[in-house]
Amino acid sequence: MDSKVENNSVVSYPKDLTQLHKNVLNYFVNQRNDDDEIKQLLQNFQEDGSWSTIDYTNKIRGGWPVKKHLKYVQQFAINYKTKTSKYYLDKHLSKKIHKGLNYWLDNDFLSTNWHDQHIGVPELLLPTLFLIENELTKQQLNKATVLLHRARIKMSGQNKVWLATNVMLRSLLLRKPDSVAIASKAIQNELQIATGVGVKSDWSYHEHGAQLQFGNYGLSYLEDMIKCYTLVSNTSFQFDESKINFLRNIILKGQQWIIYNNIYDVSASGRQLFNNEQRKKAARLEICIQKMKNLDKKFSKEYDKAIDTKMLSGNKHFWKSDFQVHRTEDFYFSVKMSSKRVVGTESVNKENVQGYYLGDGVSILSTTGKEYENIFPFWDWKKLPGTTIIQDNKPLPIIKFSGFKTNSVFVGGVSNGKNGIAVLDYNRDGLKAKKSWFMFDDKIICLGSGISTNANHQVVTSINQSFLKGSVVIGKDGVLETSVRRKRGFTPDWILHDNIGYLFPKGGNANLSTQILEGSWNKVAKRYRPVILTEHIFKLWLSHGAQPKNASYRYILVPNASEEKMKSLHKNNPFKIMNTKVQQSVVSSDEKKAGFVFYKKGTTTIKEGISVDAPCVILLEEKLDYLDLAISDPSQKLTKIGVSVKGNYSIKNSNYKNGKTHFVIHLPQGEQAGKTVQLQLKRN
C-alpha cells in the first residue's frame, strides 16, 4: 500500500459533460501498454524528466522524434490509471509522470512543421492531462492550456478532424459544453461525401487536392472518426445514426479493397513509403474493422470477411481517383493512374523523394503480399511496374503539395464488379502513350500503343520489379532457359518467376535482370540514416528505343502460373487482341468476354462490330439470354454516348435497323461522372 498514491480524489464535471468525460477516460485506459514497455521506458528516463533516447534538438519536419516524449509520458499515465497494471497508482511512477510532463511544459519544444504544434502535440498531451487531472497543479494546467489552444477548428478533411478533436477534448477538460458541441458538430460534418478533400463518392479518400490518400490521411480519418464516435456515444453530442452507415461504407466499399494478405497496397499509401509501413497500415485497418464490428453488430459477418482479406474477390474502379483494383482469393492487382483531374503523388516532409512516377500507371501484382514489402530502397524509380518512362539521366524532380502535373485527360476505367478495364491516355513531359489494362478473371492483358517522344533517350515499359524469389524460366519456341541472371534484347514467348507468368503474344524487345542491388531507405525518405542495404531484385521491362514513334507493346500477366500453364497459354492463345492508336480491344477465345477502349468514335473490327459515337470504354459479357454491357466515359465530360450492337436486343429507347440495335446511354454527371453504367440487353 505504501507504493500507492494516497490522494486520488475524483474530479467532478458538469452533468452535461459527465458521460463524455467517463467515455474519454475509458477510451484512454483501454489503450493500456504492456508493463514490460513501461519498465523499458523507466530504464531510459532521466532525473530531469527527459529520455536519454531522444534528441531534443531535432527539428525534422516529418516524423518529428521529439514527440515521442509526450507519447512516453502518456504511456506512463495510461498504465498508472489502469487497475490491471502493476503500476496502478504507483507513487514512484506518478513522480516520473509529473517530471516528464513538466519537462515538456517548461521547454515547449517546437518543430518546423505546423502540424506538430497544432495537431500532434495537443493530441499526445490531452490523454495525460485527463488521466492525472486530479493530481495536476494549477501551474501545470495553465501551461498546458496554452499549448492546447494552438488547435483551432479550420481547414477541411482529416486536418479538420484532427483539429476539431483536439478542440473538443480541450473544451471538455475546461468544462465548456458549448465548445464541445461546436467541435463535435464540426467532426460530424466531415462524415459526408466531399466535393473537395475528404471521402469521395466512390469511397476513396482525397487530401491535398484531388489526390488518392487512402493509407495516409484516409486511414487516420477512419481511425479518428471511430474514436470520436465512441467518445461521444450516449451523450448529447453523439453522432447521427446515419453516420454509422457512412463509416461502414468507408470500410466495405473503400478501405477493405486495398489490403491483401495483411499488406497495404503501396499505391494507396500516399507518400508514406516507410520501413514496414505496409504491414503497419494493414494492422491499423484491421483494428478499425474490429472496432466497427463491435459498434455495427448487424454487419458483423461483413466485417469478418473484411478482416480475412483473401475472401474479397471482384473488381472495383475508383472513378474519383483514377485507381482500379482487381482481386481474387489467389491474387491482388491494382493500377494507379493520374490525370488533369487527379494528382498522382506528392513528396512532403522529405518523404517519397523518388516517387515522381508513382501516379503514371503503376501496376502492382501480388500472390503472397510480400513481393513489394519494403522494396522501396531497391526500386529503380524510372522503371516502376506498369509504367512507360523516358530513361534519361536527370535526377527525379521532387513534387511538393501541388507539383504533380499531367496533360492526360482520357483516364479512367469501367467495371462490372467482377472484371474491369483501366485506361491511361498518357501525356506527360513530352511522352505520349495509350495504355490499357484488361482485367479478365485470372489474367490481366496489358496493352500500349502510340508510344512517342522527341526526347533522345531510351523509352521503356516496365513489366515488373519485385524481390527475386527462386529461379526465372524463359520459354521460347519450346525451349526452356533457366538460371538467367541478366538478358537484354530478347523476344520470349513467356517468362515465369515466383509463380507469376508473363505471356508475350507477339514477343517484344524484352530485358531481364536478377542482380544484387544496393539500396538505402535514406533515398526514399530523409528521416532514415544513409545505411547501404543489398537485395536480389527481379526486373523485367520492354525497350522501345530512343525517340520512338508509335511504338507499342502487349503482354499478359498470369498470377499463380506454372510452366505447363504458360506452355498451354502460348500454344492456345487465350485472347484476340487489337492494339492501335484509335482502339485497344481484347476478346476471349470463346468470345464470352470482350473489352474495348475507343480513343475516338468508331467500330470494332472484332466481336461483331460494336459502334460508338464518342470515346469511351466498354466491357461486354455474354450471358445465356442477355448481353451484360458496362460503359464509362474516362474523360468525365460527356453527357451521353450512342451505341450500336449487332443483333436484336430489347432495351429502353432503342431501335433495330440493318441488323443492329441502336440506343443512347445517358452518363452520370457531377460527383458520379466517370462511374460505370451497367445494362442488360435481352436478346429478342
Side-chain angles (χ1 to χ4, degrees):
M1 191 68 184
D2 292 340
S3 65
K4 302 296 182 184
V5 173
E6 294 179 4
N7 179 19
N8 194 40
S9 58
V10 178
V11 295
S12 62
Y13 273 75
K15 185 178 180 181
D16 50 357
L17 295 179
T18 301
Q19 184 61 47
L20 177 58
H21 177 246
K22 182 180 178 181
N23 292 349
V24 168
L25 287 180
N26 286 339
Y27 183 88
F28 292 140
V29 168
N30 283 333
Q31 311 300 312
R32 183 201 157 171
N33 312 279
D34 190 289
D35 283 342
D36 288 340
E37 287 185 54
I38 305 301
K39 182 179 178 181
Q40 182 63 46
L41 289 175
L42 285 170
Q43 290 175 358
N44 298 315
F45 189 78
Q46 302 186 118
E47 189 59 32
D48 63 354
S50 67
W51 268 272
S52 60
T53 54
I54 297 176
D55 174 12
Y56 291 88
T57 65
N58 194 308
K59 299 287 186 181
I60 192 169
R61 282 185 59 83
W64 186 43
V66 186
K67 281 192 302 186
K68 290 180 181 178
H69 178 100
L70 287 174
K71 179 64 176 176
Y72 296 162
V73 175
Q74 181 191 124
Q75 288 179 265
F76 279 178
I78 289 172
N79 280 40
Y80 174 67
K81 294 304 287 279
T82 303
K83 291 181 179 179
T84 56
S85 170
K86 71 178 184 180
Y87 293 102
Y88 177 61
L89 298 184
D90 184 279
K91 65 181 181 182
H92 300 297
L93 184 61
S94 174
K95 289 178 181 178
K96 289 177 170 53
I97 293 171
H98 285 276
K99 277 190 176 183
L101 178 61
N102 288 336
Y103 190 79
W104 189 278
L105 297 178
D106 291 342
N107 287 281
D108 188 14
F109 296 101
L110 302 174
S111 76
T112 57
N113 191 339
W114 75 272
H115 188 280
D116 292 316
Q117 319 320 323
H118 296 251
I119 294 173
V121 168
E123 183 180 44
L124 289 167
L125 180 58
L126 277 158
T128 299
L129 299 178
F130 277 108
L131 289 165
I132 65 163
E133 185 181 0
N134 61 313
E135 299 181 22
L136 289 176
T137 65
K138 187 174 182 180
Q139 186 180 29
Q140 284 175 321
L141 186 57
N142 289 340
K143 285 185 177 182
T145 302
V146 172
L147 275 57
L148 297 179
H149 270 99
R150 289 172 180 159
R152 297 181 180 180
I153 302 174
K154 57 183 179 179
M155 306 180 78
S156 57
Q158 175 55 18
N159 281 320
K160 185 176 181 180
V161 174
W162 272 319
L163 290 165
T165 303
N166 284 343
V167 171
M168 182 177 75
L169 293 178
R170 180 189 74 212
S171 301
L172 172 63
L173 185 68
L174 300 179
R175 278 73 166 175
K176 295 182 177 180
D178 290 346
S179 295
V180 171
I182 291 170
S184 176
K185 193 68 175 176
I187 296 166
Q188 286 196 58
N189 286 343
E190 292 302 310
L191 271 174
Q192 61 181 331
I193 299 301
T195 54
V197 301
V199 180
K200 308 307 294 180
S201 53
D202 60 359
W203 302 103
S204 62
Y205 188 92
H206 286 183
E207 196 84 29
H208 292 169
Q211 181 182 171
L212 179 63
Q213 292 275 13
F214 257 137
N216 187 358
Y217 292 91
L219 186 52
S220 293
Y221 171 95
L222 177 61
E223 289 173 323
D224 282 0
M225 285 301 187
I226 294 173
K227 170 185 173 181
C228 291
Y229 187 95
T230 305
L231 293 181
V232 301
S233 180
N234 298 318
T235 74
S236 59
F237 315 104
Q238 67 186 19
F239 288 6
D240 296 338
E241 189 58 36
S242 63
K243 301 304 182 184
I244 199 75
N245 301 332
F246 195 85
L247 288 170
R248 182 192 314 131
N249 286 333
I250 290 172
I251 290 176
L252 300 183
K253 295 183 179 180
Q255 287 277 355
Q256 75 156 333
W257 278 89
I258 43 85
I259 52 170
Y260 179 77
N261 206 19
N262 302 315
I263 295 292
Y264 208 94
D265 186 346
V266 56
S267 289
S269 297
R271 65 177 187 265
Q272 295 181 330
L273 309 185
F274 305 145
N275 194 10
N276 296 324
E277 191 68 17
Q278 294 161 275
R279 197 168 288 276
K280 289 176 183 176
K281 288 187 187 302
R284 287 167 58 194
L285 180 55
E286 182 175 336
I287 291 171
C288 289
I289 297 171
Q290 290 282 10
K291 288 181 178 179
M292 280 297 294
K293 180 182 174 182
N294 293 329
L295 294 173
D296 192 23
K297 290 183 170 60
K298 291 181 181 178
F299 290 82
S300 59
K301 289 184 179 179
E302 284 79 355
Y303 292 119
D304 283 337
K305 291 179 182 178
I307 291 169
D308 186 354
T309 59
K310 283 197 169 186
M311 290 185 71
L312 179 63
S313 293
N315 182 282
K316 168 106 179 177
H317 180 69
F318 294 91
W319 66 87
K320 297 298 293 184
S321 296
D322 294 342
F323 184 64
Q324 189 164 146
V325 174
H326 185 70
R327 55 186 294 165
T328 70
E329 63 180 17
D330 296 320
F331 72 88
Y332 175 95
F333 180 76
S334 72
V335 182
K336 184 180 183 182
M337 306 171 291
S338 56
S339 60
K340 278 192 171 183
R341 303 180 311 271
V342 176
V343 177
T345 189
E346 68 179 7
S347 176
V348 182
N349 300 335
K350 297 184 178 179
E351 301 164 0
N352 187 33
V353 294
Q354 298 285 334
Y356 185 76
Y357 291 111
L358 276 175
D360 291 31
V362 172
S363 307
I364 298 296
L365 175 60
S366 178
T367 60
T368 66
K370 297 179 180 179
E371 289 86 350
Y372 312 99
E373 186 180 6
N374 294 328
I375 197 172
F376 316 121
F378 310 102
W379 255 356
D380 178 342
W381 291 85
K382 291 184 180 178
K383 289 188 178 70
L384 298 179
T387 60
T388 300
I389 296 174
I390 297 171
Q391 302 296 294
D392 59 29
N393 297 318
K394 299 176 184 177
L396 289 170
I398 295 183
I399 300 167
K400 301 298 182 182
F401 286 106
S402 58
F404 191 95
K405 289 181 171 51
T406 173
N407 292 314
S408 303
V409 175
F410 193 75
V411 182
V414 67
S415 173
N416 63 11
K418 183 181 178 183
N419 293 313
I421 305 167
V423 58
L424 169 62
D425 192 355
Y426 188 65
N427 184 359
R428 191 178 186 206
D429 297 342
L431 175 64
K432 294 183 178 181
K434 298 184 183 301
K435 299 169 66 68
S436 57
W437 296 261
F438 294 76
M439 301 161 222
F440 288 1
D441 300 325
D442 62 347
K443 299 175 187 66
I444 300 102
I445 305 93
C446 308
L447 303 181
S449 62
I451 302 171
S452 305
T453 183
N454 292 323
N456 193 22
H457 296 281
Q458 291 286 321
V459 175
V460 309
T461 295
S462 179
I463 299 174
N464 207 351
Q465 195 179 173
S466 62
F467 285 113
L468 180 68
K469 185 178 178 182
S471 61
V472 178
V473 181
I474 300 173
K476 176 66 176 177
D477 297 331
V479 178
L480 302 186
E481 186 177 1
T482 59
S483 303
V484 180
R485 296 288 302 275
R486 184 183 177 97
K487 195 175 180 70
R488 295 291 177 92
F490 65 108
T491 56
D493 294 332
W494 56 267
I495 295 173
L496 179 65
H497 167 251
D498 194 16
N499 297 319
I500 294 177
Y502 307 89
L503 184 65
F504 300 89
K506 285 196 172 182
N509 188 10
N511 303 270
L512 172 69
S513 170
T514 63
Q515 296 176 305
I516 297 178
L517 299 179
E518 290 187 343
S520 171
W521 280 102
N522 179 259
K523 293 182 178 179
V524 183
K526 295 305 178 184
R527 65 177 59 182
Y528 296 105
R529 294 185 297 115
V531 177
I532 300 300
L533 307 170
T534 58
E535 275 286 358
H536 281 91
I537 301 298
F538 169 80
K539 293 167 65 176
L540 179 62
W541 70 97
L542 299 171
S543 294
H544 306 301
Q547 294 181 304
K549 303 297 178 189
N550 202 28
S552 64
Y553 66 81
R554 61 179 71 181
Y555 61 89
I556 301 172
L557 302 175
V558 186
N560 300 296
S562 63
E563 289 184 21
E564 292 306 313
K565 187 172 185 177
M566 296 309 295
K567 289 176 184 176
S568 175
L569 289 173
H570 172 65
K571 182 179 179 181
N572 306 297
N573 194 351
F575 302 103
K576 300 174 185 176
I577 296 172
M578 187 172 77
N579 183 28
T580 71
K581 288 176 66 175
V582 296
Q583 190 182 133
Q584 290 171 322
S585 304
V586 175
V587 180
S588 60
S589 56
D590 62 4
E591 300 211 348
K592 296 292 185 183
K593 296 181 179 67
F596 310 98
V597 176
F598 293 93
Y599 292 99
K600 61 193 312 184
K601 67 178 183 179
T603 303
T604 64
T605 57
I606 53 179
K607 190 57 181 174
E608 300 183 332
I610 311 292
S611 297
V612 296
D613 65 1
C616 61
V617 184
I618 291 179
L619 179 63
L620 294 179
E621 291 202 16
E622 295 276 0
K623 304 296 182 180
L624 187 62
D625 57 352
Y626 67 91
L627 181 66
D628 189 284
L629 183 147
I631 186 170
S632 75
D633 164 31
S635 74
Q636 301 190 11
K637 293 180 177 180
L638 303 176
T639 58
K640 60 184 180 180
I641 296 176
V643 181
S644 299
V645 180
K646 187 176 181 181
N648 190 356
Y649 293 92
S650 294
I651 186 171
K652 189 177 180 180
N653 297 326
S654 66
N655 66 81
Y656 178 68
K657 185 179 179 181
N658 298 328
K660 282 191 172 186
T661 301
H662 307 270
F663 53 96
V664 174
I665 296 175
H666 294 274
L667 299 166
Q669 301 297 300
E671 288 297 302
Q672 304 296 316
K675 183 179 180 180
T676 296
V677 175
Q678 198 165 351
L679 304 170
Q680 289 185 355
L681 281 63
K682 189 173 181 180
R683 293 188 181 87
N684 290 326

